[in-house]
Structures are given as structure tokens and as C-alpha cells.
Amino acid sequence: MKKLYLGIETSCDDTSVALVFEDGEVLFSRAANQDLEHSPYGGIVPEIASRNHSMNLLPLIDQALQESNIQWSNISGIAVTNRPGLIGALIVGLVTAKSLSQCYKIPFLGVSHLEGHLLAPFLKDTGYKAPENFTYPYIGLAISGGHTSLYDIRGLGEYYLLGETKDDAAGEAFDKFAKNIGLGFPGGVKIDQISRSGNIHAFSFPRSQVSSSPYAMSFSGLKSAGARLVQELGQELVQKNLADLCASYQEAIVDMLVEKLDYAMTHTGYKRAIVTGGVSANFRLREQLDVWAKKKQLQFLIPPLRYCTDNAAMIAYAGALRMNRGEFSPLNLAPYPQSIAGDLR
Ligand code: KG4
Ligand code: ZN
């Protein structure tokens, strides 16, 4: 019998719950989205996120067990994101996991949200499965609202940071530009959709290089160039050229990401790569990565959209792998807004 793990993810604005077997097979994965609650404010309001987590989490856990016909006695461990994230949001998930652990005598483990993203490409369900021969070592590119990081990955927990963004994350660059052009929040997915009918060459945006490290990235120059152009054009012209603006801006982000990944592959000599995190849901990025991997004859893995953005299945799986090797958390485990010392960041 395969062991089954419960995953809880409340690090940001999605309340997510999942049931995942120890081999990564997803039995249940669902998120209560809070976009409607945050969009009037143009961004995530931490207090609103915490309040919604506290309303949504227990009903979601109930749904997971009932719809999957699972008893508490069938669950071998509870994995919960305890870092990094919004502190109030993390507390809701962590305190819930501890309470359930005490109540049902099930061990629990605090998991790094980033490790979850790095393991998301290895989840499986009826519609997706990574090839069996995809093994360590490989390069990992994690791109989300808070991170843009390149890792040399040599095993579970063996993540060596090669480089990261020096300023904004790729997701932030998407979201800020979306806000500037009136698309509201969250903007990444809207830019993705609108740009499909746009011309990538219509406007020219910078592709920044960081002189201090060939692996480092920077998106603040692009963000500023986007804001300047919007000001120069004025809202009327912006709206007229919306698709072209989105396509050209998006192309700059895609180019920078593909170039960094290509550099990492060339200089490590690795033949396998994964790309993960919310921005990896981007259609154009996926398209360009596909072209690049085929041209370079690399084995390349990207999760299906449902596991790109924040989800509890990736947390359950990260927890499952670690709890299977005997790692558990004590009841006084703290939540951390940032990655902790010795942790991947
Ligand atoms: O991994 P994620 O769900 O949460 C964090 O850990 O931050 O990533 C969220 C980020 C946001 O910036 C969002 O705009 C971006 O991922 N994102 C996208 C797309 N879907 C989500 N960016 C570009 N294209 C998308 N389709
Ligand atoms: Zn995330």
C-alpha cells in the first residue's frame, strides 16, 4: 500500500489542500482562489489573505477527505508550507497542521514553498507524468511572484543556487506592467492571454545583463522602461496598442529567462532542465522553451499549468519524500517570512 500525505499551502493568497501518494500521484488537489477579494486593492493585502485562509482551509480539508473517501487513519503525514511567505498567511496553515497532527496523532513536517515548486514537475495524475528516465543532476529555474532563481540540483535537498534576480522577480515584472496598463491584479496571466494577438517586435524593451555574475538576472530595468513607455504613450494609445505592448514586453522576459537557462546548461554541461513556478504557466515561455530544448537536444520538464502556480500537491509531495526519510517537525516549529539559514532561497 502506498503511503498517502496531506498537503496544506497558505503562504500567499491561495488556500490549497491536496492528498498525494508517496510516489507523487495526486489523489486530490484544490485551491480556494482569493483574486476577487484582493483585486480592488491592486495587489495582495496580507490581512485579507490570512482572514480568507482561516475561513477556507478547514472546509477544503473536509472536501479533500470526503470526496476522496479517505479517513484520517489513512494519512501517514501532514506537510505544510512554513516558509517563505506572508507571515499571517503561513500561521493559519501551520497552526491548522499542528492541531490536526495533535488531534489525529499524525506526524507533520514544515516544508519550503520553493522546494515544493522544484518538485512540482514530478507530480503525476491521469493527465501528466514525468518520464521515468529524468534523473539527477539537472538545472532548475524557479520563476514566481517572489523568486527568479537558477539551481544546480543534484538530489533531494541538494539545491545549489547558481544565480538569482538582483532586484524584481519575473512575476513582479509581469504584475507591475499589467497594473500600469490597466489590467489589474493578478496581471501575469492577463498579459499572457492578450499578447497572443500581439506583435513581439512592435516595441523595443531592454534585455538586462548583470555584469557581476553571468547567472544573475535583473528585471527592474525592464519594469522601469515599461512604466516610462506607458507614461510617454498615454492611456489612450496604450489601450489602442495593448496586445502589441503585452507581446513585446513579455518577449523581453521570455528572452532573458531562456538565455539564462541556456547559459546554465552550456556551462554545467547538464542535459536535463526543469522550469517551475507561476510564471512557467506562461504560454509564450513554454513555446520558446520547447523550441530551445528541441534545438539543443535537451531533456526538459515543465509542470502542467495546474502545478505551475501555487498548489498544495507540490507541498504534499515534498513533505512525503522528506517524511519518508524520517524527517518530521516539532510542535514548536515557527513560520518564517524568508527562507531560513542553510535553506534553499
Ligand atoms: O508561484 P506563484 O503562483 O506564487 C508565488 O510563489 O509567487 O507565482 C505567481 C506569479 C505572479 O506574479 C503571476 O502573475 C505569475 O506568477 N503568473 C504568470 C502566469 N500565471 C501566473 N505570469 C505570466 N504568465 C502566466 N500565464
Ligand atoms: Zn509559489
Side-chain angles (χ1 to χ4, degrees):
M1 263 278 276
K2 289 195 285 186
K3 284 188 189 165
L4 183 65
Y5 289 86
L6 172 71
I8 296 174
E9 154 62 45
T10 63
S11 68
C12 196
D13 61 334
D14 285 316
T15 317
S16 315
V17 168
L19 289 167
V20 175
F21 289 104
E22 60 188 328
D23 63 351
E25 188 193 340
V26 180
L27 180 64
F28 179 98
S29 178
R30 190 170 296 165
N33 185 279
Q34 302 180 9
D35 286 352
L36 283 179
E37 281 85 357
H38 296 281
S39 65
Y41 304 94
I44 295 163
V45 182
E47 198 270 346
I48 293 179
S50 312
R51 197 179 333 151
N52 278 283
H53 288 317
S54 69
M55 291 191 297
N56 295 333
L57 184 54
L58 282 176
L60 258 184
I61 293 173
D62 250 4
Q63 283 174 27
L65 270 74
Q66 277 182 25
E67 290 182 28
S68 312
N69 210 5
I70 291 294
Q71 315 294 314
W72 284 103
S73 57
N74 303 129
I75 296 176
S76 297
I78 302 171
V80 57
T81 308
N82 79 317
R83 63 195 193 276
L86 301 171
I87 195 73
L90 288 168
I91 286 172
V92 177
L94 184 55
V95 169
T96 304
K98 287 180 181 183
S99 307
L100 294 170
S101 161
Q102 281 290 288
C103 183
Y104 296 107
K105 306 281 172 263
I106 300 171
F108 85 101
L109 180 71
V111 168
S112 156
H113 181 80
L114 272 171
E115 181 165 53
H117 274 306
L118 292 178
L119 290 166
F122 302 96
L123 288 167
K124 48 189 160 187
D125 58 28
T126 46
Y128 172 78
K129 189 177 186 294
E132 300 274 334
N133 65 353
F134 196 101
T135 51
Y136 297 116
Y138 51 82
I139 295 295
L141 175 62
I143 32 179
S144 68
H147 287 84
T148 308
S149 310
L150 258 177
Y151 302 96
D152 171 353
I153 301 178
R154 302 190 198 155
L156 177 67
E158 293 177 52
Y159 314 108
Y160 301 94
L161 185 72
L162 294 172
E164 60 187 336
T165 178
K166 292 285 164 217
D167 37 60
D168 300 306
E172 262 176 286
F174 269 110
D175 294 338
K176 285 276 160 56
F177 189 64
K179 208 169 162 181
N180 278 340
I181 57 177
L183 296 180
F185 173 87
V189 66
K190 289 181 186 154
I191 292 185
D192 180 349
Q193 283 154 0
I194 293 170
S195 61
R196 291 183 204 187
S197 57
N199 174 2
I200 56 170
H201 304 294
F203 295 93
S204 119
F205 286 105
R207 275 83 168 145
S208 308
Q209 290 290 344
V210 180
S211 53
S212 57
S213 160
Y215 288 114
M217 291 160 269
S218 166
F219 296 92
S220 67
L222 171 67
K223 201 179 74 178
S224 306
R228 265 198 313 276
L229 182 64
V230 168
Q231 213 165 29
E232 277 163 30
L233 291 173
Q235 277 303 329
E236 206 182 314
L237 274 179
V238 164
Q239 295 313 314
K240 249 182 150 166
N241 294 282
L242 204 58
D244 286 349
L245 275 170
C246 287
S248 305
Y249 186 87
Q250 173 179 272
E251 199 68 10
I253 298 179
V254 169
D255 277 355
M256 284 191 269
L257 293 171
V258 176
E259 198 225 293
K260 283 296 152 183
L261 191 55
D262 183 59
Y263 182 88
M265 299 304 283
T266 307
H267 283 260
T268 56
Y270 286 5
K271 295 285 171 228
R272 288 176 296 278
I274 63 158
V275 177
T276 186
V279 178
S280 66
N282 184 269
F283 179 79
R284 178 68 180 162
L285 177 67
R286 297 172 82 91
E287 195 175 65
Q288 291 299 85
L289 285 169
D290 216 43
V291 171
W292 164 79
K294 284 200 176 97
K295 189 169 138 202
K296 297 278 170 108
Q297 294 190 311
L298 301 166
Q299 208 182 358
F300 161 69
L301 211 53
I302 196 161
L305 299 196
R306 56 192 171 279
Y307 303 134
C308 287
T309 44
D310 288 352
N311 65 86
M314 66 187 194
I315 302 303
Y317 187 41
L321 293 176
R322 285 184 175 273
M323 283 186 263
N324 269 1
R325 31 181 229 197
E327 293 179 37
F328 300 101
S329 291
L331 265 184
N332 66 353
L333 179 76
Y336 298 94
Q338 260 98 43
S339 298
I340 51 178
D343 209 355
L344 79 165
R345 63 186 175 97

